[in-house]
Amino acid sequence: MFNVRKFHVLPRLPRELTGLKELAHNLYWTWDYEVSALFRRLDRDYWEECGQNPVMLLGNLDQKLLEMRAKDDGYLSHLKRARAALADYLSNSSWFEKSEHEDKSIQIAYFSMEYGLATCLPIYSGGLGVLSADHLKSASDLGLPLVGVGLLYRKGYFQQYLSRDGWQQEFFGERDLHNMPIQLEKDDNNEPLKISVEFDGRRIFAQIWRVDVGKVALYLLDTYIPENAPEDQKITNKLYGGDNDLRIKQEILLGIGGFRALVAVGKNPDVCHMNEGHSAFLTLERTRMAMEEYGLSFWQALEGTRGGNLFTSHTPVPAGIDEFDNGLVDRYLGKYYTSLDLSTEEFHELGGSHLPQSNGKFNMAIFAINMAGYYNGVSRLHGKVARKMWSYLWPNVPEQEIPIGHITNGIHFRTWISDDIAQLLDRYLGSKWYQDPANEAVWARVNQIPDEELWRSHERCREQLVSFARTRVQKQLANSGASQMQINQAKEVLDPEALTIGFARRFADYKRAYLLFRNRDRLAELLNNKDKPVQLIFAGKSHPKDDIGKSIIRDIINVMRNEEFRQKIVFIEDYNLCVANYLVQGVDVWLNNPRRPREASGTSGMKAAANGVLNLSVLDGWWDEAYDSSLGWAIGRGEEYPDSMRDEQDRLESESLYHLLENEIIPVFYDRGASGMPHRWVQMMKNCIRTLGPKFNTNRMVRQYCETYYLPAAARWKRFQKNKMKTAKELAAWKDYMFENWEKIKFIKVVAEDRDALKVTEKLAVEAWLNVDGIAPDDLSVQVYFGQLDPGDQIVNGQFIEMELAGKEAKTTFRYRVEIPCRATGQHGYGLRVLPKHAELTHPYEMGLITWDTSDS
């Protein structure tokens, strides 16, 4: 076999069109219509065929067409406007630059396993990746000094197609990286910049690619290079492919390798944001570097770095967390962590292997929590679920005080709003709807949009969706070997004027795509009503190893083939960003019916709502805090059922679903006045856009992350860096002392006023005697925890007040006093507790130390 020597061919753009290359390599085009329209205008059909990939488009267009465009004054004027738009965007100061935050020099690093930035960059599988991408886009809009870190998968996530019997098949296509909007980072010798990671007795190399996302850079690691053995090249082959052996290698590369990549490109992050636990090993590398730079022990360095790490969980059930056998962890990380002077037992405990709930496994979420100073869920309900799920990590701490906060997810509006709706918003709201999307005063102007204009804009989106669906279904049928008659029939599926319901998400059992099919006769009656027709569009993938999810898809496909459903229900294969855009912009109702509380947040409903699409959803995730009857519909009232009642739950909630469709949704949609306008429906659309717009967007979300976590974390890291990590050393020593002496603390006596009853606004005086035996009172927070009692005499919605030091009774005994306010009637209770107190603790439960009063007096 002869040696194949490679060379790279670039498009030969006429001088007048050279600006297209710059525009193609900044993903700003994914959210600016003016720029994306410039590429679409070159060749509309090929733009769709190449997956809306401007780099591939430019590389494959006929040279004569390019020469023709170079002489087209209208096109050149469009190019000039698009270049000016990008230049203005990159140069204009944004929220962060204009903000009053004193320190503008901070650097934030955002780590995620996947990014759903564009259809032509298939390094995503679903909601987590889309959220990561929208996070980067809003960070760019806000001018936040943030960089992203991820992996560049050669084959990405699988492409889906269905067999003739409806069973999901998976196909992994090889991607040509040189025809993607990415650029290879080079060193001073103009050679590819590389980093290495050691595991399992060998060194793995990775080159670094950069993706420009507006003002933000995303760095992606790629192991498919000659320095690596074929087995190691495959580390970045597929997203979520393979077994745990491949998964841990990917997560080591993402975490440790990703942190090293940042150093290699000259970025030294103050804050590291772990979007899920996949990247948690970055905290090891960050700690190792602090040890090396400042001459610290591992535990001292951890005190210095922990407060600069944030962990965001998207998972509401323990089964969704990555876990590894300890032997696998030792195989790939044993040499690394022993070099940090950590014993095997110490490292395993950082991953919770010693806890009964982990079943002897190394848990990546527990590891992330132990290595971070801040943690959050992604909706109000998910924050509550997460506090309950991880409560065993903070024993004896009331559940509501578990230090896991929440920041509700959002979406990047300009990416997800249709061009028709965007132009409407431009006319009536001005540019502030995307420049300052969290401003409620701006969104109030939605009421000024004439009903006719909003409805017609939405109808155009539905028409485009139906046209797109028909084209896709015809291709699907042709690829599956269907007859020409069946393909021709697909040209007439769906009705561009009928009430259209969309359901698109990962096909997992708990998401219950089958719920609408529990009563097929009732469904058939709804769909085939000649006066008030309804139609359904489904899309979504099942995990390759999830046979239950695949069987749900197959069952839906088989139902669709029945004569009464054939033209009324469509399944669009290979759900991706392109399909998602058509769906969230073109359907009338967005259906979501998971088992509460299994949906951590769910952003697809937000994307639909931004386009005026009304949600029909279980009160789970974001909809639990967004729902209002003027905005959409709720299935159930937020009930939660045990697994033993799954069938009963499905029966009740499917009944609720049918009832809403029959008695509320369909009547309102088809309630047309003399003009043919569904005014009540349009008013709900306006309510939806006006009310949800300023709340559920990633600009609001990223600002919250900045103010709640990034700025405090960066300030802490910079403070700890001073004087060669003196504060970290002192904090580590203080913690050691507290751990050694904590068991000596004991409540000796508690005395309260002897009163039969108190009235609202009065106060109950309480005194306590505490033996501290060697611990200074300044290092302790003595508190009274109080609140109303439930029927089981448990405090609900408790709160605490610091007790005041009232005197010293003996050498090691101190007296504390407090007055408990009486703010409401009913039965109340209180308890006393003591916690460690130090100015540099990120939260009072960081050490897991808490002593409650158990004395009899």
Side-chain angles (χ1 to χ4, degrees):
M1 185 68 180
F2 62 89
N3 183 28
V4 177
R5 302 180 186 278
K6 298 179 182 179
F7 60 96
H8 185 202
V9 179
L10 297 171
R12 184 165 59 86
L13 293 174
R15 178 179 56 81
E16 295 86 351
L17 301 182
T18 53
L20 287 171
K21 183 180 178 182
E22 174 196 7
L23 292 171
H25 280 88
N26 191 311
L27 294 189
Y28 177 72
W29 58 262
T30 63
W31 71 89
D32 188 286
Y33 177 76
E34 183 83 11
V35 182
S36 62
L38 186 71
F39 295 111
R40 186 182 297 107
R41 191 171 167 182
L42 284 171
D43 188 327
R44 180 177 295 273
D45 291 339
Y46 189 65
W47 172 251
E48 298 297 335
E49 185 181 330
C50 71
Q52 300 180 352
N53 184 343
V55 177
M56 183 176 288
L57 178 78
L58 296 177
N60 288 279
L61 285 180
D62 185 274
Q63 196 65 36
K64 290 181 181 179
L65 176 60
L66 291 173
E67 297 290 348
M68 183 178 70
R69 289 300 187 196
K71 298 175 183 178
D72 182 339
D73 288 341
Y75 189 80
L76 293 178
S77 177
H78 189 172
L79 173 59
K80 184 177 180 180
R81 291 196 308 272
R83 294 188 69 186
L86 176 59
D88 287 346
Y89 178 84
L90 295 177
S91 61
N92 287 344
S93 59
S94 306
W95 168 77
F96 187 75
E97 290 96 338
K98 296 176 182 178
S99 69
E100 298 179 358
H101 306 305
E102 294 182 5
D103 190 356
K104 300 290 198 301
S105 65
I106 68 171
Q107 180 68 69
I108 304 147
Y110 182 88
F111 288 72
S112 184
M113 198 75 166
E114 52 174 299
Y115 292 89
L117 288 158
T119 305
C120 64
L121 191 58
I123 55 171
Y124 64 94
S125 72
L128 179 70
V130 174
L131 186 279
S132 301
D134 284 7
H135 195 113
L136 297 192
K137 292 175 182 180
S138 280
S140 172
D141 289 343
L142 295 168
L144 209 61
L146 181 145
V147 294
V149 181
L151 302 180
L152 182 60
Y153 307 99
R154 290 278 168 154
K155 294 185 176 180
Y157 199 53
F158 73 88
Q159 294 171 265
Q160 176 200 53
Y161 67 97
L162 303 181
S163 66
R164 298 199 70 173
D165 67 349
W167 193 258
Q168 174 181 289
Q169 305 291 315
E170 295 92 28
F171 169 71
F172 288 89
E174 194 75 39
R175 311 290 179 173
D176 180 3
L177 302 191
H178 296 285
N179 268 321
M180 287 185 178
I182 59 178
Q183 300 178 74
L184 198 58
E185 288 288 284
K186 302 291 186 69
D187 62 18
D188 293 339
N189 297 318
N190 204 35
E191 294 293 327
L193 187 62
K194 296 171 185 172
I195 58 94
S196 66
V197 177
E198 309 80 20
F199 52 66
D200 198 23
R202 63 191 189 278
R203 185 178 295 270
I204 309 300
F205 293 89
Q207 60 188 0
I208 306 168
W209 297 82
R210 190 185 79 250
V211 184
D212 291 324
V213 186
K215 300 176 182 180
V216 166
L218 167 62
Y219 297 101
L220 302 173
L221 299 183
D222 170 23
T223 60
Y224 203 84
I225 52 179
E227 291 91 331
N228 293 328
E231 176 191 355
D232 295 327
Q233 291 179 357
K234 293 179 181 178
I235 292 173
T236 56
N237 197 28
K238 299 176 183 178
L239 171 61
Y240 303 140
D243 54 13
N244 268 5
D245 186 82
L246 176 60
R247 178 65 70 90
I248 195 171
K249 288 190 285 189
Q250 288 183 331
E251 297 190 2
I252 291 170
L253 179 65
L254 174 63
I256 296 174
F259 198 90
R260 290 178 180 177
L262 290 178
V263 174
V265 298
K267 305 292 183 181
N268 294 294
D270 302 297
V271 181
C272 290
H273 185 170
M274 296 172 276
N275 194 41
E276 263 305 345
H278 308 121
S279 61
F281 291 132
L282 76 86
T283 59
L284 277 182
E285 180 66 7
R286 188 175 193 186
T287 305
R288 184 196 67 79
M289 290 184 64
M291 291 172 64
E292 188 176 275
E293 182 175 355
Y294 299 105
L296 307 175
S297 70
F298 175 85
W299 300 106
Q300 290 172 333
L302 179 57
E303 293 305 333
T305 59
R306 173 189 276 133
N309 299 328
L310 164 65
F311 167 56
T312 295
S313 169
H314 295 257
T315 308
V317 290
I321 306 293
D322 279 350
E323 293 181 328
F324 299 111
D325 290 332
N326 287 326
L328 194 63
V329 172
D330 295 342
R331 174 183 172 187
Y332 288 111
L333 286 166
K335 186 176 180 181
Y336 185 88
Y337 64 66
T338 53
S339 71
L340 304 180
D341 201 24
L342 279 174
S343 69
T344 300
E345 292 74 20
E346 286 175 320
F347 190 68
H348 289 176
E349 286 188 9
L350 286 172
S353 300
H354 62 298
L355 298 171
Q357 294 85 348
S358 297
N359 297 313
K361 303 273 190 175
F362 188 94
N363 184 293
M364 292 301 290
I366 294 176
F367 180 68
I369 289 171
N370 282 328
M371 300 295 284
Y374 306 92
Y375 349 91
N376 73 283
V378 290
S379 70
R380 183 178 62 195
L381 179 60
H382 180 231
K384 181 180 178 181
V385 170
R387 286 189 289 275
K388 183 176 183 179
M389 185 168 76
W390 301 115
S391 61
Y392 62 85
L393 298 179
W394 290 275
N396 300 318
V397 176
E399 192 174 293
Q400 70 183 52
E401 292 190 296
I402 299 293
I404 299 176
H406 82 272
I407 290 181
T408 301
N409 283 342
I411 62 162
H412 186 257
F413 265 40
R414 291 185 76 188
T415 296
W416 295 104
I417 287 185
S418 73
D419 298 333
D420 287 287
I421 299 295
Q423 291 171 26
L424 202 58
L425 295 179
D426 283 342
R427 286 203 299 275
Y428 290 95
L429 277 66
S431 59
K432 280 199 171 182
W433 71 267
Y434 61 83
Q435 293 175 344
D436 187 14
N439 189 330
E440 293 188 7
V442 172
W443 291 98
R445 300 176 201 159
V446 167
N447 282 334
Q448 299 175 14
I449 301 174
D451 285 4
E452 293 76 11
E453 289 193 45
L454 178 57
W455 184 242
R456 185 61 195 127
S457 294
H458 176 65
E459 284 192 310
R460 280 194 295 271
C461 292
R462 192 192 314 113
E463 290 163 1
Q464 291 163 10
L465 168 60
V466 169
S467 175
F468 170 77
R470 287 172 174 174
T471 301
R472 285 293 291 261
V473 171
Q474 290 174 68
K475 288 182 179 179
Q476 290 169 197
L477 288 170
N479 291 337
S480 68
S483 68
Q484 189 58 50
M485 184 178 73
Q486 290 173 311
I487 296 171
N488 290 339
Q489 288 175 341
K491 295 178 181 179
E492 297 180 358
V493 298
L494 305 179
D495 177 350
E497 295 184 357
L499 171 61
T500 305
I501 300 173
F503 181 100
R505 50 193 33 85
R506 181 166 59 89
F507 272 72
D509 181 56
Y510 80 88
K511 291 180 182 283
R512 298 189 298 174
Y514 54 79
L515 199 63
L516 199 53
F517 295 90
R518 278 184 63 90
N519 189 330
R520 295 181 187 176
D521 291 338
R522 203 166 171 183
L523 178 61
E525 189 176 339
L526 286 173
L527 300 190
N528 290 289
N529 185 318
K530 292 182 179 180
D531 297 323
K532 299 176 180 179
V534 179
Q535 57 199 12
L536 310 174
I537 302 180
F538 286 84
K541 299 176 178 180
S542 175
H543 189 280
K545 296 180 181 179
D546 182 5
D547 284 346
I548 294 176
K550 290 182 180 182
S551 68
I552 294 172
I553 295 176
R554 181 195 58 200
D555 292 346
I556 290 175
I557 297 298
N558 289 329
V559 171
M560 285 169 45
R561 290 172 177 167
N562 292 333
E563 189 59 37
E564 67 266 36
F565 299 124
R566 193 182 300 276
Q567 301 292 94
K568 303 290 186 177
I569 306 177
V570 163
F571 188 99
I572 299 177
E573 295 176 11
D574 200 30
Y575 187 44
N576 60 18
L577 293 177
C578 177
V579 176
N581 262 302
Y582 276 105
L583 284 170
V584 299
Q585 295 168 7
V587 300
D588 300 295
V589 175
W590 194 255
L591 176 62
N592 186 32
N593 41 237
R595 295 189 191 279
R596 174 186 164 112
R598 298 287 300 275
E599 191 94 317
S601 175
T603 56
S604 62
M606 300 177 192
K607 300 176 182 80
N611 287 282
V613 173
L614 307 183
N615 275 262
L616 168 59
S617 176
V618 167
L619 292 172
D620 200 5
W622 81 287
W623 193 237
D624 181 66
E625 61 192 273
Y627 168 69
D628 182 283
S629 59
S630 67
L631 311 174
W633 297 273
I635 302 169
R637 300 181 180 179
E639 299 91 346
E640 295 179 18
Y641 297 81
D643 286 344
S644 60
M645 292 184 64
R646 285 165 59 106
D647 289 342
E648 179 67 4
Q649 178 184 8
D650 287 354
R651 185 188 68 79
L652 291 171
E653 293 186 342
S654 65
E655 281 293 322
S656 174
L657 179 52
Y658 291 128
H659 177 82
L660 287 168
L661 287 167
E662 292 165 343
N663 297 284
E664 296 188 34
I665 297 171
I666 295 172
V668 173
F669 184 84
Y670 285 106
D671 179 15
R672 310 293 172 98
S675 64
M677 284 290 302
H679 288 289
R680 282 201 294 163
W681 189 276
V682 174
Q683 186 56 54
M684 290 183 74
M685 291 176 65
K686 288 184 179 181
N687 294 343
C688 192
I689 296 171
R690 185 190 70 249
T691 304
L692 303 180
K695 296 177 182 176
F696 297 98
N697 63 78
T698 41
N699 283 44
R700 180 274 308 159
M701 181 192 83
V702 172
R703 283 180 64 163
Q704 271 190 274
Y705 272 110
C706 184
E707 293 169 342
T708 307
Y709 296 121
Y710 294 164
L711 290 172
R716 178 185 173 86
W717 167 244
K718 292 191 174 188
R719 189 168 65 249
F720 270 58
Q721 280 182 298
K722 295 177 180 178
N723 301 318
K724 297 183 177 181
M725 287 278 191
K726 179 184 177 183
T727 302
K729 295 176 184 176
E730 292 173 346
L731 181 58
W734 179 84
K735 281 189 174 183
D736 285 343
Y737 182 82
M738 296 297 282
F739 280 124
E740 290 172 7
N741 292 277
W742 190 259
E743 293 300 322
K744 299 175 183 177
I745 292 176
K746 184 179 179 181
F747 283 95
I748 299 172
K749 182 173 66 172
V750 177
V751 175
E753 286 183 274
D754 186 13
R755 300 177 64 178
D756 291 335
L758 295 101
K759 296 180 180 179
V760 173
T761 72
E762 292 186 333
K763 296 180 179 181
L764 175 67
V766 179
E767 288 190 332
W769 282 257
L770 184 70
N771 178 56
V772 298
D773 198 7
I775 297 180
D778 288 345
D779 292 334
L780 299 174
S781 175
V782 184
Q783 304 171 354
V784 59
Y785 179 77
F786 66 99
Q788 290 185 302
L789 298 179
D790 65 13
D793 286 341
Q794 298 297 309
I795 294 174
V796 292
N797 300 320
Q799 52 189 301
F800 70 87
I801 300 177
E802 292 277 346
M803 300 186 76
E804 296 179 0
L805 181 61
K808 185 174 182 180
E809 301 297 313
K811 186 176 181 181
T812 61
T813 302
F814 294 84
R815 180 168 57 89
Y816 291 82
R817 190 177 189 281
V818 72
E819 290 186 337
I820 302 174
C822 299
R823 300 189 177 112
T825 60
Q827 191 74 5
H828 291 68
Y830 69 92
L832 305 185
R833 67 188 186 186
V834 58
L835 296 94
K837 183 172 71 174
H838 193 287
E840 296 298 349
L841 292 177
T842 53
H843 57 80
Y845 310 114
E846 181 179 311
M847 298 172 66
L849 299 178
I850 181 170
T851 294
W852 289 86
D853 164 42
T854 58
S855 64
D856 295 328
S857 59

